[in-house]
Amino acid sequence: MKLKYKGFCLFFLSCVFASVLFAQEQGLKVRSLNQDFILGLTIDDSWYETVKLEAVVKALKDMKTKPTVRIVMSKDEPLSTYIPIFREISKVARILACPVDSYDMKSYKTISSYKKRFRTAYEILGKYTHMWEIGNEINGENWLGKNPKLIADKVTAAYDFIKSKGGVTVLTAYAFAPGMQKIPMLDWLKTYLPSRIKENVDYLLVSYYEDDNEGFQPDWEKIFIDLEEVFPNSKLGIGECGSTDKNADEKTKLNMIRRYYGMPGYTKNFIGGFFWWYWVRDCVPHEGNVLWEEINRQATKKGAF
């Protein structure tokens, strides 16, 4: 009887110990998820003739934190031309693919043509891509088109396609100073997006450019608290930032980098992002570049992944 009892006790204790370890491991995972902080950078197509891809890859590789890089594709370029860029950058960074920039949205006049763009991009670039931006600055008035329902329907078609492939979906909204557009950003999102996107899109990001809004500083905490109510299951963050003023000096850009990449975690789902639009122009070559160093430093402070 003693041996059986002793064996039972040992078995019971081992189960308890295993349970504790499992709980600790799960707790670490939960904390890690809650503390996820994305270091986002944007790569557009304005640098191809002046900067070598090798220099871009080296600048990404040398960052202490592995970045997530949005690659913006032009409608005027065959998608196959992006294969070398996606292939090389995917070796040193996670890729957020943007098949349709906001300024190209109106070029896709039908839902089917917009969906086809994503299907083709997925077929050609899917093996290099970690996340898909199904819509960029979708509530921007006039330059995306004048039919908000059609814009939302295009985005929904892309969302359904990417989700059918098991992909990660990212949606970027456009923030602006009071009075700059007729419909407030949150109202647009609530009105035109279907419930399945509001409940299930993986990331909801916000694009904002101070220079285009007379230096206005939004109440970001309120914005993200309000967004979290509408998108309760989405990770939230800044999807675009940067100085659009061609005459902005280094000090101005440094302060802006600190203001955005230094943002606190406004809500439990806030993951940072930021995705400095002019990263190649401002940060490559990166050796001795104070803007590159500041983004790198801010991300390291946050413990980004």
Side-chain angles (χ1 to χ4, degrees), residues 39-58:
L39 166 58
L41 311 167
T42 298
I43 293 179
D44 64 357
D45 61 358
S46 63
W47 54 276
Y48 297 158
E49 297 180 1
T50 57
V51 179
K52 291 184 178 180
L53 177 59
E54 292 82 358
V56 174
V57 172
K58 184 70 164 59

Side-chain angles (χ1 to χ4, degrees), residues 45 73-79 82 99-101 103-108 117:
D45 61 358
M73 291 167 266
S74 169
K75 66 178 178 60
D76 298 322
E77 292 287 338
L79 287 170
Y82 291 95
V100 182
D101 184 32
Y103 282 92
D104 288 342
M105 170 66 86
K106 63 184 178 183
S107 299
Y108 300 89
R117 173 70 169 181

Side-chain angles (χ1 to χ4, degrees), residues 83-297:
I83 292 175
I85 298 171
F86 273 65
R87 183 182 62 236
E88 295 307 310
I89 290 178
S90 70
K91 295 176 182 178
V92 295
R94 297 174 183 85
I95 290 181
L96 165 58
C98 179
V100 182
D101 184 32
S102 62
Y103 282 92
D104 288 342
M105 170 66 86
K106 63 184 178 183
S107 299
Y108 300 89
K109 300 187 182 303
T110 64
I111 297 169
S112 60
S113 65
Y114 192 79
K115 181 178 178 179
K116 181 181 178 182
R117 173 70 169 181
F118 279 81
R119 183 188 298 114
T120 305
Y122 185 88
E123 291 170 354
I124 295 174
L125 302 166
K127 66 180 178 180
Y128 307 113
T129 302
H130 303 81
M131 308 158 74
W132 294 88
E133 189 170 12
I134 56 172
N136 177 256
E137 297 182 326
I138 60 167
N139 61 302
E141 289 181 1
N142 298 324
W143 78 89
L144 283 85
K146 297 185 182 297
N147 186 339
K149 185 179 183 305
L150 176 59
I151 293 169
D153 288 345
K154 291 178 188 177
V155 169
T156 301
Y159 170 85
D160 288 340
F161 172 74
I162 295 299
K163 277 295 184 183
S164 75
K165 298 297 183 180
V168 176
T169 53
V170 178
L171 185 59
T172 303
Y174 175 73
F176 48 88
M180 297 290 281
Q181 293 196 168
K182 294 178 182 178
I183 305 175
M185 178 183 72
L186 193 64
D187 289 351
W188 195 104
L189 299 173
K190 290 165 66 175
T191 301
Y192 294 106
L193 292 178
S195 58
R196 65 181 179 277
I197 289 185
K198 287 182 281 192
E199 293 171 5
N200 298 300
V201 70
D202 295 294
Y203 292 83
L204 189 285
L205 307 179
V206 179
S207 167
Y208 187 68
Y209 292 95
E210 296 178 17
D211 296 335
D212 296 340
N213 290 276
E214 300 177 350
F216 176 76
Q217 298 295 319
D219 183 347
W220 288 114
E221 184 172 18
K222 184 179 187 309
I223 286 173
F224 284 110
I225 288 173
D226 290 344
L227 283 172
E228 194 166 71
E229 291 182 2
V230 181
F231 299 87
N233 303 311
S234 304
K235 297 293 186 181
L236 306 173
I238 299 292
E240 289 184 27
C241 67
S243 177
T244 59
D245 181 359
K246 293 181 179 180
N247 297 317
D249 58 20
E250 189 176 86
K251 182 180 178 181
T252 298
K253 293 179 181 180
L254 274 174
N255 288 335
M256 193 175 288
I257 287 170
R258 290 169 185 148
R259 187 154 53 249
Y260 287 90
Y261 284 85
M263 280 183 172
Y266 292 113
T267 69
K268 64 183 178 64
N269 288 340
F270 187 79
I271 50 76
F274 314 117
F275 292 94
W276 190 265
W277 185 270
Y278 304 97
W279 184 76
V280 175
R281 187 185 74 184
D282 289 338
C283 298
V284 181
H286 70 291
E287 293 87 352
N289 187 315
V290 296
L291 301 179
W292 180 90
E293 291 171 356
E294 187 59 30
I295 291 177
N296 196 27
R297 189 177 73 86

